[in-house]
Amino acid sequence: MGLYSESPDWADIEPIPQDEGGPNPLAAIHYSEEYSEAMGYLRAVMARNEMSSRALALTEDIIDMNPAHYTIWLYRAEILFAIKADLHQELEWLNETALAHQKNYQIWNHRQTVVDRVGSPAGEAEFIARMFEKDAKNYHVWSYRQWLVRRFDLWEKGELEDVELLLKHDIRNNSAWNHRWFIVFGRDDSAVAGDVIQREMDYAKDAIRLAPQNQSPWNYLKGVTRRAGNPMSSLKDFASEFASIERPNEVRSSYALDLLAEIYSQESDGKLDAAVALDLLAKHYDPIRANYWNYRKALLEQPATAA
Amino acid sequence: MSATRTDSVHPPSLQASSLDTEKHIKYWLRCLKSPLPHHYISNDSNRMCIAFFIYSALDILNVLDASVTPTERAEHVDWVYRCQLPEGGFRMFPGSGFGKLRNEQNRKWDPPTLPATFFAIQTLAVMKDDFHRLNKRGILEWLPKLQREDGSFGQMLIDGVIEGGHDSRFGYMATGVRWMLRGTVEGSLDGIPDIDMEGFCHCVEESQTYDGGISEAPFHEAHAGFEFCATSALSLLGRLPQSSNTALEVPSKGLTQLDSTVQWLVSRQTATLDEEDEFDTNSDETDTSMTCHDSHSFVKLRSFPSKAGEMSYQDRSTAHFELQWAGFNGRPNKVADTCYAWWVYGTLSILNKQHLVDAEACRRYLLDKAQHMIGGFGKMPGDPPDIYHSFLGLATLALQPESGLKGFDPALCITKEAKQYIESLQWRKAAISGASDSLNSSLSSTSSESTNTTSQSTISSDSPNIEKNFSYLAISGG
Ligand SMILES: [Zn+2]
């Protein structure tokens, strides 16, 4: 009465029923008939190591119901290569599957296997754009994208431009900021040129001027400063555009205040100013983290330790 | 801008938030005693993990003895052991098994996995099983084989290839298994090689990000889940910076930017609880509901004075209405989600820095926003409960601690009582204390006790060595 038991294509296969082995199994699930039946046939073909197009179709059916099945993906990949299946067709199927199961990791691992075998990134940028339309912060997609860049040497093939587009759409997309960091600093160990450092500082500063209360470009700016070996005090003028302890009513960014506190704390006579900045954060501008700001204030009293 | 949902859903009162213990017990007993609804099919291959959540939740709620009969519990234990495989380690779900047809050629499709093994041993500890039937030697021999050259761990071995991501999740589970079976003893144990500790710590160190967090791999985005896994793993290895249980004089490898790490974690607390929250932070900004995810952390001086900062950080309450409820996100500029309360608060607890966040606001977020009226917790306010968020929400409260809940250990993710039970096991004590030279004699005894299994097991179908392997460390019960 099922899709498989009634099909002549599967008449030679004896399904292997699931065996809980005893009473009171844990985390038992109310399986649908479709799932139970398909899984019985999957076990049977896996047990025979069958490499066939019918087995391929069966894995599709089950992946649709349970994409987290951890060996079905490896089994599917082995079949694909064994029967020399059309890998472009595989990618098309994967597109729909990935769009339907946004949070699944295995899909991306499989895509990597297939695209690696295909040997070309053609079409991948378009598909990633489709994924980003649904969720521009999808962690798996960004991880996959890093793999693509490394695998196919795409460092200068529009990555930076694409990041800028995504940030234009949502300047708070931290994943896009992180990808920018990867493209600029992740390439190899060689030093990044001074004009690139300057460009990145300017980019982050412009983004902050657009939306001062946005932690992503502040983190980026501090990261670039550290990476370039410059002291945080080199950002003092910039941070002062958004916060000043002399004008406590006009603070436009808690992140600027935080940075100023850090800079003051490193100055020989800046402890008091740092305490004022931290107080403003605790009491007015970031009270959720009052405990943390007070802790930072308490650290000011301690003798300086090697950082 | 429009009023937030927070205002409309909750009356402006300050009534005490409370944990509806009875409802949670009902929710978890239902999960234990009747089949899960069909939408859990997509989690069929996570059944061992679900089993762990269910048992551990009932342990936190302190109702296992009252609600599970000895016979039921023995049958549950048997179910876990039926997922043990002759190669060492566990499968995640019965659905991958071939029964009598399992053989050398096809067993690669039904492999032991690190997550399954970790959750199975945790579950057995919560069940207070005596571990007689656990193939400890097989598991410990298998662990180093799952570690790659770069120090990372994979999920499973297929045809000699380490499969699964390179991130710290599997490293966490490997160190968890290692801790449960051999404590923090370093080096070879009864001829079983240890994992490459330095390699793993290096791997964690490399995954630190420019913004102070920890990511999946070098240059990937920092993420609270990986932060938790990496920190827990270092803790279970005794390798946290300034960790008091570090007996060795090793340079602090792993977390090398602790101050930034702590600030990154503390920055995850947010009052932005809903995608629909809108709150203008600054008139000159181009904020929309799509872009403004962390606006609630920014409050204008004159409009919302807060008493918070005037009080000490041990004992205070937030005066500002909306800031009474503050959950955690997993990455910068994301909305709060119940599970990240665990990943962030748990990590801070391991680092002993949990007092730096607003634990009370987190508690109120969990109880007033995420707790569901049928018991359990949802992912976000108004969401129906699911097992994953229900467990992690409960575990977070147990860490705080919460009256009526057993104390909880963040790194092992089990109750302190279950952790103490593991520490009390005689075979484990013998293995750890004999670590210098009495090791070999205590660990290599291949006693015949292993045949005293209380029920039959599927594992002996294709391995003649299983009896021998099985008896590893089976010196005595708990
Ligand atoms: Zn979640």
Side-chain angles (χ1 to χ4, degrees):
Chain A
M1 58 182 138
L3 190 63
Y4 300 94
S5 59
E6 284 181 1
S7 162
D9 293 345
W10 290 91
D12 60 315
I13 295 290
E14 182 70 36
I16 301 176
Q18 179 160 321
D19 185 12
E20 297 286 347
N24 269 316
L26 283 171
I29 297 166
H30 197 86
Y31 297 128
S32 62
E33 275 181 35
E34 295 79 13
Y35 182 71
S36 289
E37 192 204 15
M39 283 292 284
Y41 281 85
L42 177 73
R43 282 183 288 268
V45 290
M46 273 181 155
R48 292 155 44 119
N49 262 312
E50 180 173 312
M51 299 287 134
S52 65
S53 48
R54 72 174 178 184
L56 195 67
L58 173 62
T59 60
E60 250 176 68
D61 193 15
I62 291 168
I63 283 169
D64 200 37
M65 295 182 270
N66 175 19
H69 190 309
Y70 45 87
T71 51
I72 200 169
W73 288 98
L74 298 168
Y75 178 55
R76 183 174 174 89
E78 207 167 297
I79 297 173
L80 282 173
F81 302 147
I83 68 172
K84 299 192 169 56
D86 179 355
L87 295 182
H88 292 100
Q89 211 174 309
E90 178 70 2
L91 287 175
E92 268 170 45
W93 169 75
L94 265 181
N95 289 354
E96 299 316 309
T97 307
L99 286 162
H101 303 280
Q102 297 270 319
K103 295 287 172 193
N104 180 277
Y105 158 78
Q106 279 93 348
I107 291 172
W108 295 94
N109 189 49
H110 184 73
R111 190 175 193 98
Q112 206 170 299
T113 306
V114 174
V115 170
D116 187 48
R117 184 66 74 101
V118 169
S120 154
E124 293 305 280
E126 291 76 10
F127 175 64
I128 285 173
R130 278 181 75 192
M131 288 298 295
F132 284 162
E133 271 169 36
K134 289 208 166 191
D135 176 8
K137 299 175 181 178
N138 186 315
Y139 202 88
H140 303 310
V141 182
W142 283 106
S143 293
Y144 173 71
R145 186 171 185 158
Q146 286 203 9
W147 174 82
L148 268 183
V149 169
R150 287 188 203 275
R151 168 69 176 80
F152 297 104
D153 195 18
L154 304 176
W155 302 95
E156 283 161 29
K157 300 276 167 61
E159 289 298 299
L160 223 46
E161 293 78 358
D162 204 44
V163 162
E164 280 174 27
L165 267 179
L166 283 161
L167 287 176
K168 202 164 266 175
H169 184 71
D170 176 4
I171 198 133
R172 289 184 168 80
N173 184 341
N174 195 63
S175 305
W177 280 101
N178 186 79
H179 195 69
R180 185 174 182 102
W181 180 274
F182 164 67
I183 295 299
V184 176
F185 298 107
R187 196 160 178 178
D188 47 42
D189 288 333
S190 63
V192 175
D195 57 332
V196 173
I197 295 286
Q198 194 54 49
R199 184 193 69 197
E200 293 308 300
M201 303 273 291
D202 291 344
Y203 188 81
K205 286 177 179 177
D206 287 348
I208 290 168
R209 290 192 178 105
L210 189 65
Q213 188 56 18
N214 175 9
Q215 55 197 312
S216 295
W218 282 104
N219 285 338
Y220 194 86
L221 183 65
K222 290 200 281 185
V224 174
T225 304
R226 225 174 279 123
R227 165 83 195 220
N230 295 329
M232 282 304 147
S233 57
S234 62
L235 296 174
K236 191 172 180 180
D237 288 348
F238 178 72
S240 303
E241 288 180 29
F242 309 94
S244 159
I245 53 171
E246 269 98 56
R247 294 186 303 280
N249 288 357
E250 291 162 38
V251 171
R252 292 165 63 213
S253 168
S254 68
Y255 305 108
L257 213 42
D258 172 20
L259 180 54
L260 283 176
E262 184 182 343
I263 294 167
Y264 288 139
S265 74
Q266 288 157 0
E267 292 173 356
S268 53
D269 54 354
K271 297 265 193 289
L272 280 177
D273 287 347
V276 173
L278 292 168
D279 249 357
L280 279 173
L281 283 162
K283 290 179 186 167
H284 303 295
Y285 288 104
D286 193 22
I288 285 183
R289 270 161 282 281
N291 292 344
Y292 174 72
W293 302 121
N294 286 328
Y295 159 81
R296 283 262 298 269
K297 218 173 114 183
L299 288 181
L300 293 173
E301 314 299 322
Q302 292 180 3
T305 50
Chain B
M1 289 286 145
S2 67
T4 65
R5 285 258 298 262
T6 302
D7 294 325
S8 54
V9 174
H10 291 272
S13 69
L14 292 173
Q15 65 197 96
S17 314
S18 69
L19 179 70
D20 195 338
T21 313
E22 290 311 309
K23 291 272 174 58
H24 287 275
I25 292 172
K26 258 178 121 170
Y27 174 83
W28 287 108
L29 283 177
R30 201 161 50 236
C31 292
L32 180 72
K33 305 221 173 183
S34 42
L36 302 167
H38 65 89
H39 61 257
Y40 278 94
I41 285 173
S42 59
N43 270 297
D44 188 25
S45 28
N46 290 324
R47 277 182 63 188
M48 189 62 79
C49 175
I50 295 174
F52 164 68
F53 287 159
I54 295 171
Y55 243 87
S56 199
L58 290 166
D59 186 27
I60 293 172
L61 290 159
N62 200 13
V63 290
L64 276 178
D65 289 338
S67 312
V68 185
T69 68
T71 312
E72 277 176 318
R73 188 184 299 214
E75 286 167 352
H76 292 149
V77 170
D78 285 350
W79 181 86
V80 174
Y81 276 120
R82 280 196 300 272
C83 290
Q84 184 170 233
L85 294 163
E87 306 89 296
F90 288 72
R91 65 164 70 99
M92 203 70 154
F93 66 127
S96 72
F98 303 129
K100 288 196 290 288
L101 297 175
R102 192 176 199 268
N103 60 37
E104 282 294 315
Q105 285 72 46
N106 64 26
R107 70 173 199 190
K108 69 175 184 179
W109 306 126
D110 177 34
T113 79
L114 204 35
T117 306
F118 177 60
F119 293 127
I121 300 175
Q122 280 176 307
T123 309
L124 291 170
V126 173
M127 290 166 159
K128 296 204 166 76
D129 174 64
D130 61 12
F131 288 84
H132 260 65
R133 285 183 274 166
L134 187 69
N135 181 0
K136 307 176 192 75
R137 170 174 285 274
I139 292 166
L140 284 174
E141 283 177 341
W142 171 65
L143 277 188
K145 294 180 194 160
L146 290 163
Q147 190 171 19
R148 303 184 182 90
E149 286 278 301
D150 68 359
S152 71
F153 284 82
Q155 177 185 15
M156 56 195 174
L157 267 176
I158 310 270
D159 287 339
V161 178
I162 301 167
E163 297 284 353
H166 287 241
D167 57 80
S168 51
R169 278 174 310 161
F170 302 125
Y172 164 54
M173 291 169 183
T175 56
V177 169
R178 179 183 178 276
W179 187 91
M180 288 190 277
L181 298 189
R182 54 176 285 177
T184 52
V185 177
E186 294 194 17
S188 168
L189 190 77
D190 192 29
I192 307 169
D194 200 357
I195 60 168
D196 173 10
M197 301 265 282
E198 304 308 317
F200 177 73
C201 293
H202 178 73
C203 194
V204 170
E205 197 170 320
E206 292 285 296
S207 64
Q208 297 178 118
T209 56
Y210 68 88
D211 60 356
I214 294 179
S215 68
E216 179 182 38
F219 291 102
H220 289 223
E221 188 184 6
H223 185 289
F226 298 121
E227 188 96 43
F228 174 88
C229 289
T231 308
S232 297
L234 293 179
S235 153
L236 292 166
L237 294 174
R239 293 293 184 100
L240 273 186
Q242 289 133 36
S243 137
S244 54
N245 57 347
T246 305
L248 301 137
E249 302 211 343
V250 286
S252 170
K253 277 178 78 175
L255 291 187
T256 55
Q257 44 181 31
L258 193 59
D259 291 345
S260 309
T261 304
V262 168
Q263 182 165 12
W264 188 91
L265 287 162
V266 168
S267 302
R268 302 283 60 74
Q269 191 159 23
T270 175
T272 304
L273 308 181
D274 197 301
E275 296 283 4
E276 290 161 34
D277 278 1
E278 276 184 273
F279 193 77
D280 230 355
T281 58
N282 240 318
S283 50
D284 59 345
E285 291 189 22
T286 54
D287 282 328
T288 69
S289 60
M290 288 295 289
T291 63
C292 186
H293 282 323
D294 223 23
S295 56
H296 288 76
S297 64
F298 188 76
V299 179
K300 286 291 244 183
L301 179 63
R302 268 164 302 188
S303 50
F304 301 118
S306 163
K307 292 202 182 92
E310 291 168 10
M311 304 177 194
S312 94
Y313 52 76
Q314 273 100 8
D315 176 41
R316 67 177 193 85
S317 62
T318 307
H320 184 261
F321 178 71
E322 278 192 347
L323 300 184
Q324 289 181 89
W325 299 277
F328 289 88
N329 60 24
R331 289 181 268 162
N333 288 331
K334 296 267 286 179
V335 68
D337 172 335
T338 296
C339 67
Y340 290 110
W342 167 260
W343 302 121
V344 177
Y345 193 79
T347 311
L348 285 166
S349 300
I350 293 163
L351 295 170
N352 214 7
K353 292 276 190 281
Q354 68 278 24
H355 55 282
L356 299 186
V357 294
D358 190 339
E360 187 55 29
C362 171
R363 179 177 176 270
R364 275 192 297 261
Y365 159 76
L366 290 171
L367 294 174
D368 297 346
K369 307 282 183 182
Q371 182 174 234
H372 198 274
M373 61 189 205
I374 66 161
F377 295 88
K379 175 185 167 74
M380 286 185 190
D383 282 355
D386 63 81
I387 287 178
Y388 171 74
H389 290 99
S390 295
F391 177 73
L392 293 180
L394 195 64
T396 309
L397 290 174
L399 275 184
Q400 293 213 358
E402 177 78 25
S403 82
L405 301 182
K406 284 190 193 171
F408 206 69
D409 183 80
L412 283 170
C413 198
I414 53 178
T415 58
K416 287 179 177 167
E417 188 182 308
K419 181 182 181 182
Q420 279 158 13
Y421 174 76
I422 297 175
E423 287 172 324
S424 75
L425 290 162
Q426 284 307 317
W427 56 262
R428 189 176 178 279
K429 281 186 180 171
I432 293 171
S433 65
S436 50
D437 39 58
S438 62
L439 255 181
N440 285 340
S441 58
S442 70
L443 293 189
S444 57
S445 63
T446 52
S447 78
S448 57
E449 282 179 73
S450 61
T451 52
N452 296 334
T453 51
T454 55
S455 73
Q456 86 291 2
S457 165
T458 57
I459 69 164
S460 52
S461 57
D462 69 343
S463 172
N465 288 327
I466 190 62
E467 284 303 311
K468 180 165 174 279
N469 291 340
F470 221 37
S471 65
Y472 166 61
L473 295 179
I475 297 160
S476 75

